Amino acid sequence: MNMQLPTRVKLVDVGPRDGLQNEKGTVPAAVKIELVHRLQAAGLKEIEVTSFVSPKWVPQMADNAEVMAGVQRQPDVRYSVLTPNLKGFEAAAACRPDEVVVFGAASEAFSQRNINCSIAESIERFAPVVEAARAQGIAVRGAISTAVGCPYEGEVSPERVGYVARLMKQIGVQHVGVCDTIGVGTPRKVQAAMEAALAHYELDEVSGHFHDTYGQALANTLASLEMGVWQYDTSVAGLGGCPYAKGATGNVATEDVVYLLHGMGIETGVDLDRLIDAGQYISDFLGRKPNSRAATAILNKRAG
Ligand code: HMG
Ligand code: MG
């Protein structure tokens, strides 16, 4: 194992997409756009803006094109969107994303529930998306959900992650994210899932995406850093928590990861104070406190 910690980490803030997709109440496009603006003002260089999925399945993302059109882009920021199939890709492509994300799963049951098809079928759907994206110079990332545990099947073995990573590699997906969808992973299990992905992808082509349901996401981030993994998806204010849906809480808060990394002397390019302001903006809109310990601590300090 590579025990050399990275000196710089790339964070993809997935708050506007992963975070807001679970919100029951409609979040207006203008608020989503303002959130993206505040994230880029805080120094985030990668933002997952929205998804081009069925509005019947995820009504909150129905304003995808409007949000993409409203963002004032910065030349050094990359904007990504989720595209489950060719229909989604075609709608997304018109909005000129820098990267599209195909999202599969390591467990069959989650694949069926999330995207209504088997793992094998999902790969067949992704293949033309990858081909079209790459022909247009759009980067393609793959998300491997339920990489350590599945809400329907329980524990998921690293072999399942390796299997999906291999299939994604075969169809030309350039990067894979190892995703702990329900936050059940602990460091050794997450490292085993990472290893399985790293059997098919280079270190520079693998990222971590950890939901914090069981409070393990920071530990899992550190465990992955110890393997040299230097790219992570995180969500401002820990967005994604749904008070009504058991077992579904948000991604690890970007604020907490930035605090961890800066404390270890690892660069992110993010201004923590401005990030906290961005988190407070969206939390105020949603009528709750940021779901980030670091943000809470710093906001309390400011108030005092
Ligand atoms: P389906 O019903 O199997 O698709 O859904 P279909 O091809 O049979 O089409 C059915 C209808 O949907 C048709 O419309 C299509 O036009 C329409 P109708 O003729 O009935 O009016 N349709 C679409 N509309 C808009 N955009 C599209 C699209 N595709 C078909 N792209 C589908 C398959 C994948 C579309 C559906 O299951 C879906 O939208 N699922 C949403 C899944 C989702 O967004 N999940 C959350 C994101 S993933 C995630 O959060 C995990 C991640 O964070 C990592 C982790 O934490 O694990 C990434
Ligand atoms: Mg997620």
Side-chain angles (χ1 to χ4, degrees), residues 14 17-18 21 145 179-181 209 211 251:
V14 298
R17 194 282 302 172
D18 201 335
Q21 73 183 5
S145 286
C179 306
D180 184 4
T181 313
H209 175 115
H211 285 259
N251 294 82

Side-chain angles (χ1 to χ4, degrees), residues 14 17-19 21-22 48 51-58 61 64 82-91 101-105 110-117 125-126 141-147 177-183 209-211 233 251:
V14 298
R17 194 282 302 172
D18 201 335
Q21 73 183 5
N22 291 323
E48 202 170 272
S51 58
F52 288 81
V53 297
S54 163
K56 286 185 192 141
W57 283 61
V58 188
M61 297 285 111
N64 42 32
L82 266 56
T83 54
N85 52 21
L86 208 47
K87 185 179 170 79
F89 174 76
E90 276 158 7
V101 184
V102 292
F103 48 106
F110 189 78
S111 182
Q112 287 291 350
R113 302 278 183 119
N114 194 43
I115 51 175
N116 206 25
C117 63
R125 289 183 188 180
F126 299 156
R141 176 153 54 92
I144 304 178
S145 286
T146 58
V178 173
C179 306
D180 184 4
T181 313
I182 53 169
H209 175 115
F210 307 133
H211 285 259
D233 296 347
N251 294 82

Side-chain angles (χ1 to χ4, degrees), residues 60-260:
Q60 187 66 259
M61 297 285 111
D63 59 1
N64 42 32
E66 187 185 350
V67 173
M68 282 297 280
V71 171
Q72 283 170 20
R73 297 206 195 176
Q74 289 183 357
D76 58 345
V77 176
R78 295 176 77 242
Y79 305 87
S80 54
V81 301
L82 266 56
T83 54
N85 52 21
L86 208 47
K87 185 179 170 79
F89 174 76
E90 276 158 7
C95 302
R96 300 178 300 103
D98 297 292
E99 186 173 58
V100 294
V101 184
V102 292
F103 48 106
S107 78
E108 285 292 349
F110 189 78
S111 182
Q112 287 291 350
R113 302 278 183 119
N114 194 43
I115 51 175
N116 206 25
C117 63
S118 69
I119 293 170
E121 284 163 346
S122 75
I123 296 294
E124 280 171 34
R125 289 183 188 180
F126 299 156
V129 173
V130 179
E131 201 184 324
R134 298 206 48 190
Q136 295 182 36
I138 300 171
V140 184
R141 176 153 54 92
I144 304 178
S145 286
T146 58
V148 284
C150 168
Y152 314 106
E153 291 180 13
E155 201 146 326
V156 174
S157 74
E159 288 71 34
R160 302 298 302 165
V161 176
Y163 168 71
V164 180
R166 179 167 60 77
L167 294 177
M168 284 192 172
K169 185 81 192 182
Q170 279 171 1
I171 61 169
V173 172
Q174 294 160 291
H175 176 115
V176 286
V178 173
C179 306
D180 184 4
T181 313
I182 53 169
V184 290
T186 42
R188 295 285 175 249
K189 286 182 191 171
V190 166
Q191 286 178 334
M194 282 286 174
E195 290 274 9
L198 287 164
H200 303 280
Y201 282 86
E202 300 294 326
L203 189 58
D204 291 350
E205 300 168 336
V206 174
S207 56
H209 175 115
F210 307 133
H211 285 259
D212 199 28
T213 318
Y214 286 80
Q216 305 300 303
L218 276 182
N220 293 336
T221 302
L222 182 56
S224 306
L225 283 167
E226 286 177 347
M227 299 174 74
V229 174
W230 58 277
Q231 303 176 81
Y232 297 92
D233 296 347
T234 60
S235 181
V236 65
L239 287 181
C242 176
Y244 308 106
K246 264 191 193 160
T249 79
N251 294 82
V252 64
T254 311
E255 295 92 321
D256 292 349
V257 174
V258 167
Y259 183 84
L260 170 82

